Amino acid sequence: MATLIIPTPLRKFTDGNAVFEATASDVRSLLQALSNSHEGIQKHLFDDSGDLRSFIRVYVGDEDINELEGTDTKIDDRVEVSIIPANAGGSK
Amino acid sequence: MKNYFIARSRRVRSTPYTSRIENQGVNAYTVYNHMLLPAAFGSLEDSYHHLKEHVQVWDVAGERQVEISGKDYLNAERFAAKEGLTLLGIYHSHPVHPAIPSEHDLAVAMPWFSYIIVSVEPEGVDHVRSWQLTPERKFEEETIK
């Protein structure tokens, strides 16, 4: 089972659980499994065209998937995948 | 477009740097967030040398957004988990601008987090407001006690 770490603000959708586990071979299918099993979380992860929202980062271990193969990045049971909300701001 | 003078008014504010900028011979301003920012010191060549040789606030830095890197956020989450703590939100400032979420703030926000915004004027902190994103991705203000 692949392990996914849920960021604090999204744990309302996972009954407070910080960890989600599912059988998945790549990042996209793991995130999709999370969306399928927790109603309401999908729109905070994916945009209307089904792409990962631009302000969501996903790390496999300590590596940003943008430096790997994006949501096609292969995973196995040994790695920990983390969803990271971009914490950004400004007055504009 | 011709060059015109900028009239002094309540809609255009000086910054803590304005008097020193004027002493340095500014001859054109641009305006960002109602704030006067120098755009030229003499000729184009003079301005180039001025930028190279003096430290000052130019409008090139006026629109910068801030972002906490993914790894820093990851470390904060790991630290909280290890210590049995919960991250409740983040805060950032709006220089010379009200503490109301911007379009950019809305685009990047996560539900349930508290987004505390500090409005800062040249004299110091002006006001603080806190906002939370609903599951429908709209901001609602929270009461700060």
Side-chain angles (χ1 to χ4, degrees), chain B residues 82-130:
Chain B
K82 189 175 147 203
E83 299 291 323
L85 302 171
T86 304
L87 300 183
L88 297 176
I90 60 164
Y91 81 90
H92 69 279
S93 63
H94 281 183
V96 199
H97 198 75
I100 296 170
S102 62
E103 282 181 30
H104 183 76
D105 295 334
L106 179 64
V108 304
M110 286 276 110
W112 314 118
F113 244 16
S114 289
Y115 289 91
I116 300 157
I117 304 176
V118 183
S119 174
V120 184
E121 295 288 337
E123 299 78 27
V125 172
D126 189 76
H127 60 278
V128 182
R129 296 173 77 174
S130 184

Side-chain angles (χ1 to χ4, degrees), chain B residues 7-78:
Chain B
R8 296 268 181 195
S9 82
R10 292 174 60 193
R11 292 194 297 273
V12 182
R13 300 169 192 165
S14 58
T15 75
Y17 304 98
T18 303
S19 61
R20 278 168 282 175
I21 287 164
E22 291 182 350
N23 287 341
Q24 291 291 320
V26 64
N27 65 344
Y29 279 115
T30 183
V31 177
Y32 176 79
N33 267 354
H34 309 281
M35 190 164 52
L36 287 168
L37 296 171
F41 290 83
S43 67
L44 188 62
E45 289 77 15
D46 290 342
S47 293
Y48 170 78
H49 291 296
H50 205 98
L51 186 58
K52 293 270 285 185
E53 292 162 17
H54 300 283
V55 177
Q56 57 200 217
V57 179
W58 281 53
D59 71 326
V60 289
E63 296 189 19
R64 183 172 293 172
Q65 307 279 352
V66 294
E67 181 173 338
I68 299 169
S69 80
K71 214 164 226 179
D72 284 346
Y73 181 85
L74 189 58
N75 288 338
E77 284 275 15
R78 284 173 176 166

Side-chain angles (χ1 to χ4, degrees), chain A residues 20-86:
Chain A
F20 172 78
E21 291 185 324
T23 303
S25 59
D26 59 32
V27 168
R28 174 170 286 276
S29 55
L30 182 59
L31 295 176
Q32 211 60 63
L34 175 73
S35 299
N36 293 343
S37 60
H38 294 89
E39 195 179 344
I41 204 169
Q42 170 127 3
K43 67 179 166 194
H44 299 291
L45 299 178
F46 296 100
D47 62 22
D48 292 341
S49 50
D51 295 324
L52 199 61
R53 287 173 66 88
S54 58
F55 294 107
I56 291 286
R57 309 267 185 273
V58 178
Y59 276 60
V60 172
D62 283 338
E63 295 236 47
D64 190 332
I65 61 166
N66 289 328
E67 307 294 323
L68 302 169
E69 291 168 59
T71 52
D72 293 331
T73 301
K74 299 285 178 219
I75 56 173
D76 59 38
D77 293 354
R78 292 167 297 175
V79 298
E80 195 175 79
V81 181
S82 304
I83 300 170
I84 308 287

